[in-house]
């Protein structure tokens, strides 16, 4: 029997590498191509299975002159490139790493998507499931490719998968037992033609669900409420504003999913800050209870409550770094959307000096103006957007900074005791850093030097 030929499009340290090695391990003839040069890819190539053929510096349709049976598309590569368009014209199936892994999956699945809160909800859901007796494994867009762990999962395990819209674009049969849509705000509009296109990609998470499955949705999100299509799965909602299957009232999280109102947890006991994290907690609660309901398992609600209280949160998400000269420093580098910045501002008491900017993602940044009033004392603008933001927010006191260190020093100079210096950029990091983690770590390092007296600011 002839060996099946697979082309992986996009080689990176995570998804492309994991997909290539997984396929090679399954006995397929694997070729991987990337637009980057071989020299740039060399550190990744060294980690590849030796049987994998590498085409570097080229994603031209001519690659398809070799007859491939399937293409696995890495999430960072858009479907719009000529190579993928030509593959579709030729009838070559194009699938995501998520779809690839699902073919080999025997475990249960909780899938989590949305604009904001995906990573925290993924980790918190896995934490709650583990605390209540499930063998749960977080993976996906958090940095652990699903394909890299799928063979290690047992039949009773639970893969808790963070899913970006990019990963969901090319699924075909993937079906989670429980799906969560955290929220929907404008994002990645440099890749999508409209907010509706972005939403449709997200909603692929539920397209294969049936009546035995569960779909959990943000009941406060107006866009979702007006655009949600009919679903086959059972639907639960969470809300900060009204009674729902899980809701927030008078500082507490309540659940009505089992037919009666039950106080589940007090928000002031959570280690994660802000109303957006209350939403994340409610999502995790509903996911845990939904999966238990599907599998006819009883959940100890006290253990679920204790899990909510013990969760430490993730770095770079409204992360308290420390205090210096009466100013609190908060690292929210993961906030690459307007919605995430709004949530951070709502979570922080008192006046804020906001470090804002980076590489624009096509969002409507003017939406921030109304949230700045009475909250943001001054803006410190960084990155590629600083000149545009200087015009857009001209009625708000602002300063331009050349580097993160310059931004922190200028934030100190315009702040007073009792203020919060908040890094919440509303933009991608790629103009100045490799990723949001590097940006956040730089902010933390600068704070540490400042607090140790190693960085002069006066």
């Amino acid at each position: 029997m002839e060996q099946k030929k697979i082309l992986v499009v996009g080689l990176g340290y995570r998804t492309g590498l994991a997909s290539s090695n997984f396929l090679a391990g399954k006995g397929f003839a694997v070729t991987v191509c990337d637009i980057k040069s071989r020299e740039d890819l060399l550190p990744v190539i060294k980690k590849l299975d030796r049987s994998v053929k590498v085409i570097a510096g080229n994603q031209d349709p001519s690659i398809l002159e070799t007859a491939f049976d399937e293409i696995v598309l890495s999430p960072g590569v858009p479907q719009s490139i000529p190579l993928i368009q030509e593959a579709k014209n030729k009838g070559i199936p194009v699938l995501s790493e998520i779809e690839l892994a699902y073919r080999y999956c025997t475990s249960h699945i909780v899938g989590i998507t949305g604009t904001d809160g995906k990573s925290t909800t993924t980790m918190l859901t896995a934490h709650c499931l583990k605390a209540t007796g499930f063998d749960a494994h977080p993976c996906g867009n958090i940095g652990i490719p699903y394909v890299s762990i799928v063979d290690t999962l047992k039949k009773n395990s639970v893969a808790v998968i963070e899913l970006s819209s990019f990963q969901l674009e090319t699924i075909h049969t993937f079906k989670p037992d429980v799906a969560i849509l955290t929220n929907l705000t404008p994002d990645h509009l440099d890749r999508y033609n409209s907010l509706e296109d972005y939403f449709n990609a997200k909603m692929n998470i539920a397209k294969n669900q049936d009546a035995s499955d569960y779909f959990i949705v943000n009941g406060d999100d107006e866009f979702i409420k007006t655009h949600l299509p009919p679903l086959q799965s059972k639907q639960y909602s969470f809300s900060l504003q009204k009674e729902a299957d899980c809701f927030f009232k008078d500082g507490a999280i309540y659940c009505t999913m089992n037919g009666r109102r039950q106080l589940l947890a007090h928000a002031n006991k959570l280690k994660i800050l802000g109303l957006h994290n209350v939403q994340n907690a409610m999502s995790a609660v509903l996911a845990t209870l939904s999966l238990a309901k599907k599998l006819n398992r009883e959940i100890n609600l006290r253990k679920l409550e204790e899990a909510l209280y013990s969760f430490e949160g993730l770095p770079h998400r409204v992360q308290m770094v420390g205090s210096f000269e009466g100013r609190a420093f908060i690292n929210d580098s993961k906030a690459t959307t307007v919605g995430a910045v709004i949530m951070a501002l709502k979570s922080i008491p008192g006046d804020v000096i906001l470090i804002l900017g980076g590489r624009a993602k096509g969002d409507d940044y003017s939406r921030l103006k109304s949230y700045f009033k009475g909250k943001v004392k001054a803006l410190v603008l960084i990155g590629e957007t600083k000149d545009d933001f200087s015009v857009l927010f001209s009625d708000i006191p602002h300063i331009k900074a050349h580097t993160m260190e310059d931004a922190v020093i200028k934030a100190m100079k315009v702040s007073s005791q009792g203020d919060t210096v908040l890094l919440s950029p509303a933009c991608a990091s790629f103009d100045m850093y490799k990723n949001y983690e590097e940006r956040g770590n730089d902010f933390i390092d600068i704070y540490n030097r400042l607090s140790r007296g190693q960085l002069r600011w006066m």
Side-chain angles (χ1 to χ4, degrees):
M1 186 175 178
E2 189 176 352
Q3 194 177 27
K4 194 172 183 179
K5 296 177 182 176
I6 311 290
L7 175 66
V8 176
V9 179
L11 176 62
Y13 277 106
R14 292 175 179 169
T15 307
L17 174 64
S19 298
S20 299
N21 285 342
F22 178 83
L23 288 162
K26 296 293 183 185
F28 296 106
V30 184
T31 299
V32 60
C33 69
D34 198 287
I35 199 70
K36 293 180 182 177
S37 69
R38 178 170 284 272
E39 183 180 0
D40 289 339
L41 294 171
L42 195 57
V44 193
I45 291 173
K46 289 179 179 178
K47 298 177 183 292
L48 277 173
D49 185 286
R50 290 185 178 182
S51 68
V52 176
K53 178 184 176 182
V54 178
I55 300 174
N58 182 9
Q59 283 182 340
D60 191 81
S62 63
I63 292 172
L64 300 177
E65 291 173 4
T66 299
F68 291 103
D69 297 290
E70 283 185 327
I71 291 177
V72 176
L73 183 64
S74 294
V77 183
Q79 293 186 75
S80 58
I81 67 168
L83 171 62
I84 299 302
Q85 292 302 305
E86 181 62 18
K88 290 183 176 182
N89 291 338
K90 290 177 174 290
I92 303 172
V94 178
L95 58 144
S96 67
E97 167 259 338
I98 299 298
E99 180 70 19
L100 170 65
Y102 183 69
R103 292 177 176 178
Y104 298 88
C105 177
T106 59
S107 72
H108 308 297
I109 298 172
V110 176
I112 297 157
T113 195
T115 304
D116 305 305
K118 296 187 297 296
S119 296
T120 297
T121 301
T122 298
M123 297 305 293
L124 180 51
T125 299
H127 183 72
C128 289
L129 287 167
K130 288 176 183 177
T132 52
F134 289 91
D135 177 38
H137 300 263
C139 59
N141 200 46
I142 58 170
I144 305 169
Y146 178 31
V147 78
S148 71
I149 70 165
V150 69
D151 278 347
T152 69
L153 300 177
K154 301 178 179 67
K155 189 174 182 179
N156 64 345
S157 298
V158 186
V160 185
I161 313 173
E162 179 185 336
L163 296 160
S164 70
S165 58
F166 300 168
Q167 291 171 307
L168 289 167
E169 286 174 1
T170 45
I171 65 164
H172 306 293
T173 62
F174 174 76
K175 184 177 87 73
D177 299 280
V178 179
I180 299 174
L181 180 59
T182 61
N183 71 335
L184 202 289
T185 62
D187 194 19
H188 299 301
L189 297 185
D190 51 347
R191 175 150 165 169
Y192 296 102
N193 293 325
S194 66
L195 187 57
E196 286 76 10
D197 285 347
Y198 173 54
F199 175 69
N200 290 338
K202 291 287 189 187
M203 283 306 299
N204 278 340
I205 195 172
K207 73 176 184 178
N208 297 315
Q209 286 191 305
D210 58 39
S212 71
D213 302 317
Y214 293 84
F215 181 76
I216 296 164
V217 67
N218 185 334
D220 300 329
D221 193 301
E222 291 299 325
F223 186 93
I224 293 174
K225 281 194 283 187
T226 56
H227 290 80
L228 194 66
L231 299 174
Q232 296 298 314
S233 46
K234 300 179 184 71
Q235 187 175 320
Y236 289 131
S237 67
F238 59 90
S239 175
L240 295 171
Q241 302 169 4
K242 59 185 182 294
E243 192 158 315
D245 300 294
C246 202
F247 66 96
F248 182 63
K249 184 178 181 180
D250 299 329
I253 295 172
Y254 292 84
C255 186
T256 61
M257 185 176 142
N258 294 320
R260 61 187 179 90
R261 178 192 290 194
Q262 185 155 359
L263 193 156
L264 189 62
H266 294 279
N268 62 2
K269 293 185 179 181
L270 300 175
K271 294 180 180 179
I272 47 180
L273 303 175
L275 287 175
H276 61 298
N277 277 319
V278 172
Q279 291 178 316
N280 295 335
M282 291 191 291
S283 298
V285 165
L286 287 175
T288 302
L289 295 176
S290 296
L291 186 63
K293 197 168 186 178
K294 177 169 182 175
L295 302 179
N296 294 313
R297 289 179 57 163
E298 291 291 326
I299 289 292
N300 184 318
L301 293 182
R302 178 57 63 86
K303 288 185 177 180
L304 183 55
E305 178 186 11
E306 290 171 353
L308 294 176
Y309 295 154
S310 64
F311 182 66
E312 298 281 353
L314 300 177
H316 313 297
R317 296 155 176 87
V318 198
Q319 175 191 8
M320 176 62 73
V321 177
S323 181
F324 176 70
E325 296 289 339
R327 286 87 159 165
F329 279 72
I330 292 181
N331 165 32
D332 193 33
S333 181
K334 182 64 170 65
T336 61
T337 67
V338 167
V341 176
I342 290 170
M343 282 296 188
L345 291 173
K346 286 181 176 180
S347 304
I348 297 168
D351 291 332
V352 170
I353 310 300
L354 177 62
I355 300 175
L356 184 77
R359 178 161 293 172
K361 297 171 70 181
D363 208 339
D364 177 11
Y365 295 101
S366 67
R367 295 189 296 129
L368 286 167
K369 287 185 178 182
S370 61
Y371 295 93
F372 287 169
K373 293 177 182 177
K375 170 60 67 174
V376 175
K377 182 189 285 188
L379 297 170
V380 182
L381 304 176
I382 61 172
E384 290 177 352
T385 58
K386 63 177 178 285
D387 291 334
D388 289 339
F389 282 1
S390 177
V391 175
L392 181 60
F393 304 119
S394 60
D395 56 338
I396 299 165
H398 61 273
I399 314 166
K400 297 178 187 178
H402 301 294
T403 63
M404 187 65 74
E405 181 178 301
D406 186 32
V408 170
I409 291 171
K410 287 176 175 173
M412 282 297 299
K413 288 180 177 179
V414 298
S415 63
S416 307
Q417 289 193 11
D419 292 346
T420 295
V421 177
L422 169 66
L423 170 65
S424 193
C427 295
S429 58
F430 307 122
D431 56 334
M432 297 171 66
Y433 299 95
K434 290 179 182 177
N435 48 47
Y436 74 83
E437 294 100 334
E438 187 178 75
R439 176 170 62 189
N441 288 333
D442 191 26
F443 179 74
I444 293 169
D445 289 343
I446 293 162
Y447 164 79
N448 288 334
R449 288 195 288 122
L450 184 70
S451 63
R452 290 195 295 259
Q454 297 170 343
L455 178 63
R456 293 175 61 88
W457 67 276
M458 296 182 66

